[in-house]
Amino acid sequence: MRPLLITDCDEVLLHMVRHFRTWLDEHHAIDFAIGAGDFATSMTRRDGGGAIPQAEMWSLLGGFFPAEMSRQTLVPHAAEALQAIATQAEIVILTNLLDECRLPRVEQLAAFGIAHRVVCNQGGKGPAVAALLAEHGDVDGPPVAVFVDDIAGHHESVARHAPGVHRLHLIADAELAAAMPAAPFAHARIDDWREALPWIQARFAGGAPAAA
Ligand SMILES: [Mg+2]
């Protein structure tokens, strides 16, 4: 049974926050302070119009995905790392987007030379990771698996629903990474794919079952 890598996309494989900030600046006269809190509290209207309510934050994200996805850029060394991992493991990209954004995401990644299965999810990623483990397992149980994400809450969710999965906290944007502490429920924090690759390969080589 081949090992399984389950990786997030935004701020792991593709840069997002810096491009979202540029778009908010250019089209909405909103300043976005990367790492200042959650997305809504990070935004400030330049006309002094007050705080951005959660509903408007979701609507702005809906304006970015999928219409502005072409602004996103590849995280350095991510494609090379996935290429190396694909020689020994299955790869699933688990991205928190609405289902109608799945094909745009597939095409966006393909343009960067990343062609792996894309699964869309909403909310905590633990249940989806548990389902993928069951799907990729056999009579011996689930495969050895690694989960990579920039959001601490998803590591907590995976720890709860699929505790045997090795969890790597990776934040590709340097500004965001500097503002964010290590996720308490991740096993490691590595923000550079050149170092993440050997860490992931070592987990696969260790062979500990995901159900451990
Ligand atoms: Mg992300």
Side-chain angles (χ1 to χ4, degrees):
M1 186 175 12
R2 274 155 66 88
L4 176 63
L5 173 70
I6 301 170
T7 179
D8 179 38
C9 179
D10 292 313
E11 232 47 72
V12 172
L13 301 178
L14 300 181
H15 285 298
M16 185 267 172
V17 288
R18 61 181 66 172
H19 304 297
F20 188 55
R21 174 175 61 185
T22 302
W23 176 71
L24 289 173
D25 171 46
E26 292 174 355
H27 293 271
H28 294 279
I30 287 173
D31 288 326
F32 183 85
I34 289 177
D38 69 20
F39 267 34
T41 57
S42 300
M43 297 182 199
T44 312
R45 257 190 273 271
R46 283 202 293 273
D47 66 1
I52 310 277
Q54 288 283 333
E56 187 178 347
M57 184 271 289
W58 286 112
S59 145
L60 287 164
L61 279 170
F64 189 84
F65 294 110
E68 302 293 331
M69 282 167 67
S70 61
R71 292 172 176 265
Q72 291 188 261
T73 48
L74 184 62
V75 168
H77 314 291
E80 294 87 344
L82 290 195
Q83 210 167 12
I85 290 165
T87 62
Q88 65 167 139
E90 300 299 320
I91 298 175
V92 175
I93 295 159
L94 182 60
T95 185
N96 262 21
L97 287 180
L98 297 173
D99 288 335
E100 58 254 37
C101 292
R102 200 186 80 84
L103 270 182
R105 174 118 286 173
V106 168
E107 288 166 4
Q108 175 190 37
L109 287 166
F112 290 115
I114 297 174
H116 299 290
R117 180 176 165 200
V118 171
V119 173
C120 290
N121 180 74
Q122 286 88 48
K125 289 186 176 179
V129 167
L132 286 168
L133 276 190
E135 181 189 326
H136 285 261
D138 62 17
V139 289
D140 296 323
V144 57
V146 172
F147 172 75
V148 186
D149 208 289
D150 63 306
I151 306 281
H154 291 313
H155 287 286
E156 183 171 1
S157 176
V158 172
R160 183 174 306 128
H161 293 273
V165 171
H166 302 285
R167 298 180 296 277
L168 175 61
H169 190 202
L170 187 153
I171 303 177
D173 184 87
E175 212 177 321
L176 186 61
M180 289 297 178
F185 287 86
H187 296 106
R189 166 73 179 269
I190 305 173
D191 295 325
D192 186 323
W193 272 103
R194 289 170 296 185
E195 294 165 41
L197 174 61
W199 188 90
I200 292 167
Q201 289 171 324
R203 303 287 87 67
F204 290 160

